[in-house]
Amino acid sequence: MDVLDGDYLDYIDADDEWEELLWLWQRTQAPKGCRVELVEGIVTVTPLARVSHQVVAARVHRRLCAAGPAWGVHQWWPVAVPSRLGIYLPDITVVPEEQHHGAEEGCLPATEAALVVEIASRATARVDRTVKARAYAEAGVPLYLLLDGLAPGGPRGTLHGAPEKGAYRVLSSVAFGEPVELPAPFDLVIDTAEFPEA
């Protein structure tokens, strides 16, 4: 993090709380191998997950790329939810190809995402299950897929959809080993049987 001489408010040109938090987030430098997110107005630094986590992300990424050229599939692209004072780095974000120019200040407005995928890790599981689910629903992200190898009762893939009033409906929830079916506009299957153990 840059060392500022004096009160940081002398350096910031922000008109509201969101702009101030965005300014702080942009200037927070994390150690290599960590990610910086803004979770309910608090700048957080978490380590990147284990190799098994990265393997799951790569397999899901490849599968989503099969949805066709109309979709941009991105890993760790900052997604902003100003109403929840949040900037998240989802494991995967899928946007219509024409939305690639919607990112402002390095963040994609969550309202432009068609699908967000989070892969729970020990450092992020609670936030992935609760805070991010509410934030993505409030922003109107149509589909939220949580791949939770640490879920109570055993590893699960849970597809959330139909966001309304800041909450999702569970469209499907399957134990790892069973397929997760993504509805239109994707119409494809994620095979959780090929996921390594968390």
Side-chain angles (χ1 to χ4, degrees), residues 69-109:
W71 300 103
V73 182
H74 306 274
Q75 292 188 32
W76 305 298
W77 188 1
V79 171
V81 185
S83 64
R84 302 286 302 195
L85 300 179
I87 298 175
Y88 310 110
L89 274 74
D91 289 289
I92 300 173
T93 305
V94 182
V95 296
E97 190 64 39
E98 68 271 9
Q99 298 297 82
H100 282 226
H101 306 292
E104 183 178 320
E105 302 293 342
C107 295
L108 176 78

Side-chain angles (χ1 to χ4, degrees), residues 120-131:
S121 68
R122 295 194 193 291
T124 67
R126 184 192 63 78
V127 170
D128 292 343
R129 293 172 190 149
T130 58
V131 175

Side-chain angles (χ1 to χ4, degrees), residues 177-194:
E178 299 174 33
V180 176
E181 296 183 22
L182 298 181
F186 301 103
D187 293 318
L188 56 81
V189 173
I190 305 289
D191 183 6
T192 66
E194 51 183 43

Side-chain angles (χ1 to χ4, degrees), residues 20-41:
E20 181 179 343
L21 290 168
L22 182 61
W23 185 90
L24 285 170
W25 174 79
Q26 289 170 328
R27 285 158 181 80
T28 301
Q29 295 177 4
K32 188 174 181 177
C34 294
R35 70 171 95 182
V36 178
E37 295 182 300
L38 186 60
V39 179
E40 296 184 319

